[in-house]
Amino acid sequence: MPIRQIKSWQWILLVIALLVALDWAIRRPDARSRELNDIIASQASERLRNYPYQFQVLRVEGDTAVMSTPRNFDVPAFRMLGVLYPNINVKDQNNPEFIAVERLLGQMQDEAKNIVLAQPGIESVRWELDRNWLRRQGIEVFER
């Protein structure tokens, strides 16, 4: 019984599927990170659960949880808030609506951090810019 020839498009699909699986295996959080992310999801307030950005534990390094954030000095809050809230003038730092959503972002980030810090074995949180999320939102992120 002859073995059927695999067509080139089938090889391409197979390679793409293997690359996606490899990428997932490399990026997937470890067991402790998954546990902390589940705790965030279960203990989060309604506001945090419904916030358009989901803060996540990326990894745990010793007693430090490394968490994702959509802002830092490289990507100021107004850039990502402008995407999340397109009807708000985020370039006017005195705009009361901008001040409110900026304050909400800080509150949501603090809530997620406090949930993680309350867990045994976690003494500190270090924030890491979520470059993939920003790129998916169309926000240009420059590498240092």
mmCIF file of all heavy atoms in Angstrom, residues 52-70:
data_model
loop_
_atom_site.group_PDB
_atom_site.id
_atom_site.type_symbol
_atom_site.label_atom_id
_atom_site.label_comp_id
_atom_site.label_asym_id
_atom_site.label_seq_id
_atom_site.Cartn_x
_atom_site.Cartn_y
_atom_site.Cartn_z
ATOM 1 N N PRO A 52 -10.961 46.885 30.987
ATOM 2 C CA PRO A 52 -10.553 46.438 29.643
ATOM 3 C C PRO A 52 -9.150 45.836 29.559
ATOM 4 O O PRO A 52 -8.835 45.178 28.583
ATOM 5 C CB PRO A 52 -10.649 47.695 28.784
ATOM 6 C CG PRO A 52 -11.011 48.815 29.669
ATOM 7 C CD PRO A 52 -11.292 48.296 31.025
ATOM 8 N N TYR A 53 -8.323 46.050 30.551
ATOM 9 C CA TYR A 53 -7.005 45.409 30.579
ATOM 10 C C TYR A 53 -6.974 44.456 31.763
ATOM 11 O O TYR A 53 -7.337 44.823 32.872
ATOM 12 C CB TYR A 53 -5.871 46.436 30.725
ATOM 13 C CG TYR A 53 -4.521 45.775 30.779
ATOM 14 C CD1 TYR A 53 -3.886 45.391 29.609
ATOM 15 C CD2 TYR A 53 -3.916 45.477 31.992
ATOM 16 C CE1 TYR A 53 -2.661 44.737 29.652
ATOM 17 C CE2 TYR A 53 -2.701 44.824 32.040
ATOM 18 C CZ TYR A 53 -2.077 44.465 30.871
ATOM 19 O OH TYR A 53 -0.872 43.805 30.902
ATOM 20 N N GLN A 54 -6.532 43.239 31.526
ATOM 21 C CA GLN A 54 -6.453 42.241 32.589
ATOM 22 C C GLN A 54 -5.006 42.122 33.068
ATOM 23 O O GLN A 54 -4.140 41.667 32.324
ATOM 24 C CB GLN A 54 -6.958 40.882 32.088
ATOM 25 C CG GLN A 54 -8.410 40.900 31.680
ATOM 26 C CD GLN A 54 -9.320 41.308 32.827
ATOM 27 O OE1 GLN A 54 -9.319 40.674 33.868
ATOM 28 N NE2 GLN A 54 -10.080 42.371 32.638
ATOM 29 N N PHE A 55 -4.763 42.545 34.293
ATOM 30 C CA PHE A 55 -3.435 42.424 34.886
ATOM 31 C C PHE A 55 -3.180 40.951 35.182
ATOM 32 O O PHE A 55 -4.044 40.261 35.718
ATOM 33 C CB PHE A 55 -3.349 43.263 36.168
ATOM 34 C CG PHE A 55 -3.521 44.729 35.913
ATOM 35 C CD1 PHE A 55 -4.758 45.336 36.067
ATOM 36 C CD2 PHE A 55 -2.453 45.497 35.499
ATOM 37 C CE1 PHE A 55 -4.928 46.680 35.820
ATOM 38 C CE2 PHE A 55 -2.612 46.853 35.247
ATOM 39 C CZ PHE A 55 -3.853 47.447 35.406
ATOM 40 N N GLN A 56 -1.996 40.486 34.826
ATOM 41 C CA GLN A 56 -1.664 39.073 34.966
ATOM 42 C C GLN A 56 -0.294 38.911 35.612
ATOM 43 O O GLN A 56 0.588 39.753 35.443
ATOM 44 C CB GLN A 56 -1.615 38.390 33.588
ATOM 45 C CG GLN A 56 -2.924 38.375 32.844
ATOM 46 C CD GLN A 56 -3.883 37.373 33.426
ATOM 47 O OE1 GLN A 56 -3.523 36.228 33.650
ATOM 48 N NE2 GLN A 56 -5.101 37.801 33.683
ATOM 49 N N VAL A 57 -0.115 37.797 36.311
ATOM 50 C CA VAL A 57 1.204 37.412 36.791
ATOM 51 C C VAL A 57 1.872 36.656 35.652
ATOM 52 O O VAL A 57 1.344 35.659 35.161
ATOM 53 C CB VAL A 57 1.115 36.528 38.053
ATOM 54 C CG1 VAL A 57 2.502 36.046 38.462
ATOM 55 C CG2 VAL A 57 0.442 37.286 39.181
ATOM 56 N N LEU A 58 3.010 37.164 35.204
ATOM 57 C CA LEU A 58 3.729 36.532 34.103
ATOM 58 C C LEU A 58 4.605 35.385 34.589
ATOM 59 O O LEU A 58 4.708 34.345 33.948
ATOM 60 C CB LEU A 58 4.587 37.570 33.380
ATOM 61 C CG LEU A 58 3.834 38.770 32.809
ATOM 62 C CD1 LEU A 58 4.796 39.813 32.281
ATOM 63 C CD2 LEU A 58 2.862 38.313 31.733
ATOM 64 N N ARG A 59 5.237 35.616 35.740
ATOM 65 C CA ARG A 59 6.102 34.591 36.322
ATOM 66 C C ARG A 59 6.398 34.987 37.768
ATOM 67 O O ARG A 59 6.166 36.118 38.171
ATOM 68 C CB ARG A 59 7.393 34.417 35.520
ATOM 69 C CG ARG A 59 8.266 35.640 35.483
ATOM 70 C CD ARG A 59 9.438 35.481 34.498
ATOM 71 N NE ARG A 59 10.142 36.743 34.342
ATOM 72 C CZ ARG A 59 9.733 37.760 33.570
ATOM 73 N NH1 ARG A 59 8.632 37.633 32.854
ATOM 74 N NH2 ARG A 59 10.416 38.872 33.490
ATOM 75 N N VAL A 60 6.918 34.037 38.510
ATOM 76 C CA VAL A 60 7.326 34.282 39.887
ATOM 77 C C VAL A 60 8.820 34.019 39.961
ATOM 78 O O VAL A 60 9.293 32.959 39.540
ATOM 79 C CB VAL A 60 6.556 33.382 40.874
ATOM 80 C CG1 VAL A 60 7.056 33.587 42.293
ATOM 81 C CG2 VAL A 60 5.057 33.663 40.785
ATOM 82 N N GLU A 61 9.549 35.005 40.465
ATOM 83 C CA GLU A 61 11.003 34.896 40.627
ATOM 84 C C GLU A 61 11.312 35.000 42.113
ATOM 85 O O GLU A 61 11.306 36.092 42.675
ATOM 86 C CB GLU A 61 11.704 36.002 39.844
ATOM 87 C CG GLU A 61 11.470 35.938 38.355
ATOM 88 C CD GLU A 61 12.017 37.144 37.590
ATOM 89 O OE1 GLU A 61 12.392 38.159 38.232
ATOM 90 O OE2 GLU A 61 12.053 37.074 36.352
ATOM 91 N N GLY A 62 11.523 33.866 42.755
ATOM 92 C CA GLY A 62 11.743 33.854 44.198
ATOM 93 C C GLY A 62 10.466 34.272 44.914
ATOM 94 O O GLY A 62 9.430 33.635 44.774
ATOM 95 N N ASP A 63 10.547 35.389 45.646
ATOM 96 C CA ASP A 63 9.353 35.893 46.336
ATOM 97 C C ASP A 63 8.757 37.109 45.639
ATOM 98 O O ASP A 63 7.949 37.828 46.208
ATOM 99 C CB ASP A 63 9.671 36.211 47.803
ATOM 100 C CG ASP A 63 10.730 37.299 47.951
ATOM 101 O OD1 ASP A 63 11.243 37.794 46.916
ATOM 102 O OD2 ASP A 63 11.046 37.656 49.105
ATOM 103 N N THR A 64 9.152 37.321 44.372
ATOM 104 C CA THR A 64 8.660 38.456 43.586
ATOM 105 C C THR A 64 7.765 37.968 42.452
ATOM 106 O O THR A 64 8.163 37.102 41.670
ATOM 107 C CB THR A 64 9.835 39.261 42.996
ATOM 108 O OG1 THR A 64 10.649 39.739 44.067
ATOM 109 C CG2 THR A 64 9.344 40.431 42.163
ATOM 110 N N ALA A 65 6.573 38.525 42.383
ATOM 111 C CA ALA A 65 5.670 38.235 41.272
ATOM 112 C C ALA A 65 5.905 39.290 40.199
ATOM 113 O O ALA A 65 5.853 40.495 40.483
ATOM 114 C CB ALA A 65 4.220 38.267 41.732
ATOM 115 N N VAL A 66 6.172 38.858 38.989
ATOM 116 C CA VAL A 66 6.338 39.770 37.859
ATOM 117 C C VAL A 66 4.980 39.858 37.173
ATOM 118 O O VAL A 66 4.458 38.856 36.686
ATOM 119 C CB VAL A 66 7.425 39.278 36.884
ATOM 120 C CG1 VAL A 66 7.564 40.242 35.716
ATOM 121 C CG2 VAL A 66 8.758 39.106 37.615
ATOM 122 N N MET A 67 4.418 41.082 37.179
ATOM 123 C CA MET A 67 3.073 41.281 36.644
ATOM 124 C C MET A 67 3.107 42.170 35.403
ATOM 125 O O MET A 67 3.973 43.019 35.260
ATOM 126 C CB MET A 67 2.168 41.910 37.703
ATOM 127 C CG MET A 67 1.924 41.006 38.897
ATOM 128 S SD MET A 67 0.736 41.697 40.068
ATOM 129 C CE MET A 67 -0.792 41.608 39.115
ATOM 130 N N SER A 68 2.124 41.961 34.545
ATOM 131 C CA SER A 68 2.019 42.756 33.321
ATOM 132 C C SER A 68 1.336 44.088 33.611
ATOM 133 O O SER A 68 0.466 44.180 34.472
ATOM 134 C CB SER A 68 1.228 41.987 32.263
ATOM 135 O OG SER A 68 -0.105 41.805 32.698
ATOM 136 N N THR A 69 1.755 45.101 32.864
ATOM 137 C CA THR A 69 1.134 46.417 32.949
ATOM 138 C C THR A 69 1.133 47.051 31.557
ATOM 139 O O THR A 69 2.054 46.819 30.779
ATOM 140 C CB THR A 69 1.860 47.341 33.953
ATOM 141 O OG1 THR A 69 1.190 48.602 34.021
ATOM 142 C CG2 THR A 69 3.309 47.570 33.571
ATOM 143 N N PRO A 70 0.111 47.845 31.252
ATOM 144 C CA PRO A 70 0.073 48.491 29.941
ATOM 145 C C PRO A 70 0.754 49.861 29.917
ATOM 146 O O PRO A 70 0.697 50.562 28.930
ATOM 147 C CB PRO A 70 -1.424 48.641 29.687
ATOM 148 C CG PRO A 70 -1.980 48.870 31.061
ATOM 149 C CD PRO A 70 -1.144 48.005 31.973
#
